[in-house]
Amino acid sequence: MTRMFVDAWDPSYGSSFEGGGGEDGPASPSSAQVDTDVEVPAAEWAPIDVAPGVQRPDVVFLVDGVRRNDAGLWTQEEDGTSYAGLAASFAAGVVRCDLARGSAEMVGAEVRRGLFTASPSAQDVQTQLVRYEVRRLEGPGEASKLPSAVQPKLTELELEISAVARGGTADLLVVDGPLRNRRHLVNTIGYVKTQQKQYLPATLTQVVTALRPGQRTPVFHLGTVWGGWSWYLRLPGGSGAPWSGIVRVECSPDLTPEQAIDLAEISSATLPRFASSAYKDPRAPQNLVPIAGLERRLRGMLGDARVLHRQLTVATARNRS
């Protein structure tokens, strides 16, 4: 019978055994092939204002997820080997913003928990409060790589929640973060609020840093694995630093250039009204107000981390006896 032990370390510090994007801008250049002649030739790049005739959506859905490491674990297999494990909680939710009425409400949310490990014999852990379902991983399952295994499951949950909440409507959906495997969603944009990579040459980067609030760059194309159409937008409320308030927005590569440009126009007419204020949010203005509120609700739904850690310790000790 496999025995399981909870690591005494606070999971936010990692395991006791180990086997950029601020106001200064992207820290490292990207190796991606970039086509900057999509909307206008690169030589004609300049900040673009919102066109007067842009049709703003009446309803916008925003989806986001949160995750938390509740406890690190170790197994003791019958053959004497040991595997690392991670008990994690994650949640996703959707906010529906009715721009005509000026109202917002959470229209869907769900919490899930998992025990991520490569142990071939580990079983679900049932505490007095919740169950951590085994999410078995391939390979050696090093402790340092377990947190990254949670993200795909969180993305799956975000897809499920947004599909149910949105129904069959074509209202704009804003995904907090890159689109990645959500590129098939209709009328959807990815919202990247921290800039880690520098995709544009220096001459065009100057156009980005010259943007005024509400302005965007022309659309360009990223030739990466998860590439697609993309553009930069500056939100109001920044500090005035070159990259303050700059976000990168993207949409599916399956769209035509004309459809991507239409979404770029809609984004620059819509997203600035959701920008947060510095006195309310340390990640202002990029952390959109509906997303910030959704994150707070979701983190509260995860439960008390200290209580769950104790419950996991008790449950695994009981199973060893």
Side-chain angles (χ1 to χ4, degrees):
M1 177 180 175
T2 300
R3 306 173 74 197
M4 191 170 294
F5 302 82
V6 171
D7 197 318
W9 277 37
D10 184 324
S12 62
Y13 290 100
S15 171
S16 58
F17 175 78
E18 291 295 342
E23 293 190 346
D24 295 330
S28 60
S30 170
S31 59
Q33 293 184 341
V34 181
D35 180 5
T36 56
D37 295 327
V38 175
E39 187 170 359
V40 296
E44 300 177 14
W45 264 46
I48 298 176
D49 291 304
V50 179
V54 173
Q55 187 70 34
R56 293 172 171 83
D58 293 328
V59 174
V60 177
F61 290 90
L62 299 97
V63 59
D64 194 18
V66 298
R67 64 186 193 186
R68 187 186 66 207
N69 301 338
D70 292 336
L73 300 97
W74 293 94
T75 69
Q76 184 179 52
E77 309 290 323
E78 290 186 353
D79 62 1
T81 59
S82 181
Y83 291 89
L86 175 65
S89 298
F90 52 99
V94 179
V95 175
R96 181 183 185 274
C97 296
D98 188 324
L99 303 188
R101 295 170 49 200
S103 64
E105 60 177 336
M106 188 172 72
V107 291
E110 184 174 339
V111 176
R112 291 182 184 172
R113 308 184 198 273
L115 172 58
F116 296 83
T117 180
S119 167
S121 58
Q123 301 296 318
D124 296 356
V125 176
Q126 177 67 57
T127 74
Q128 289 185 351
L129 300 174
V130 297
R131 174 184 292 272
Y132 289 83
E133 180 182 346
V134 169
R135 315 276 182 166
R136 214 170 310 278
L137 309 178
E138 297 182 357
E142 298 98 324
S144 61
K145 296 183 179 179
L146 293 179
S148 62
V150 183
Q151 186 59 45
K153 295 300 181 183
L154 175 56
T155 300
E156 290 178 12
L157 181 56
E158 290 178 359
L159 279 168
E160 294 176 23
I161 291 294
S162 57
V164 172
R166 195 183 187 192
T169 69
D171 295 312
L172 181 66
L173 175 65
V174 180
V175 173
D176 191 50
L179 283 179
R180 294 198 174 101
N181 58 350
R182 295 169 287 197
R183 299 181 299 175
H184 63 286
L185 298 176
V186 177
N187 207 29
T188 299
I189 56 177
Y191 178 81
V192 184
K193 56 178 174 278
T194 57
Q195 311 309 315
Q196 305 295 334
K197 295 292 184 179
Q198 183 172 314
Y199 293 107
L200 301 175
T203 53
L204 299 186
T205 297
Q206 294 176 9
V207 177
V208 179
T209 56
L211 294 174
R212 297 194 304 272
Q215 291 183 324
R216 66 172 178 89
T217 67
V219 172
F220 56 95
H221 187 269
L222 290 176
T224 62
V225 174
W226 295 113
W229 309 109
S230 192
W231 57 95
Y232 288 100
L233 168 69
R234 190 186 293 275
L235 300 176
S239 68
W243 283 84
S244 176
I246 296 291
V247 297
R248 186 174 65 82
V249 190
E250 60 183 31
C251 62
S252 172
D254 299 332
L255 300 178
T256 66
E258 293 74 22
Q259 290 172 323
I261 293 169
D262 286 344
L263 276 176
E265 285 286 275
I266 291 171
S267 73
S268 59
T270 305
L271 294 179
R273 69 180 299 171
F274 295 134
S276 52
S277 302
Y279 73 93
K280 291 184 178 180
D281 193 327
R283 292 179 291 171
Q286 288 97 319
N287 199 38
L288 302 180
V289 172
I291 292 293
L294 177 60
E295 287 179 344
R296 287 192 296 270
R297 289 282 299 275
L298 293 176
R299 293 192 189 283
M301 291 172 63
L302 293 182
D304 190 305
R306 295 166 298 179
V307 171
L308 291 174
H309 190 278
R310 289 196 298 269
Q311 289 287 319
L312 282 163
T313 302
V314 170
T316 53
R318 183 174 61 246
N319 292 341
R320 292 196 305 269
S321 59

